[in-house]
Amino acid sequence: MPTDMRALDYTVRMLGTVHEMHIIAQLLQAPCSIDQLSSTGPKHSRRELTVCLTHLTQRGVIERPEAVYQLTPTGKSLQPIFQAIAEQAQHP
């Protein structure tokens, strides 16, 4: 598999589902509690949110050292992708 395809596979795996991408986007702004995450963004059940948070934690994208979730260095490294998505949305 070419190197660029491995990079794409890795990136897609780190980003996860659309709901997980919403969580990452929120955490790029600031660390959040589970209540803050559930009150903003797309509406999903608390269970769905917990499952997404668990998946993101298992992949090393987020962590919860205290009562709030925050991005790990791996999660923070995804910021340019979200910035590129935002720029593309401005100029479709």
Side-chain angles (χ1 to χ4, degrees):
M1 179 180 295
T3 303
D4 58 342
M5 293 305 291
R6 278 185 281 200
L8 179 62
D9 288 346
Y10 171 81
T11 302
V12 170
R13 194 169 44 254
M14 288 298 108
L15 292 173
T17 66
V18 171
H19 188 52
E20 291 169 356
M21 289 176 64
H22 282 280
I23 293 169
I24 295 167
Q26 283 181 262
L27 295 176
L28 282 168
Q29 303 303 311
C32 297
S33 68
I34 194 165
D35 290 332
Q36 291 169 313
L37 290 168
S38 66
S39 67
T40 58
K43 298 300 174 206
H44 294 280
S45 72
R46 186 73 164 227
R47 169 142 172 54
E48 290 172 312
L49 177 59
T50 302
V51 168
C52 289
L53 292 169
T54 300
H55 290 163
L56 288 166
T57 302
Q58 289 171 344
R59 290 196 310 271
V61 176
I62 65 171
E63 61 186 355
R64 189 179 136 207
E66 298 291 325
V68 296
Y69 289 90
Q70 64 186 27
L71 294 171
T72 63
T74 298
K76 290 176 185 174
S77 74
L78 299 171
Q79 184 169 16
I81 296 165
F82 285 86
Q83 191 171 7
I85 291 169
E87 289 172 9
Q88 181 61 33
Q90 303 262 334
H91 308 287

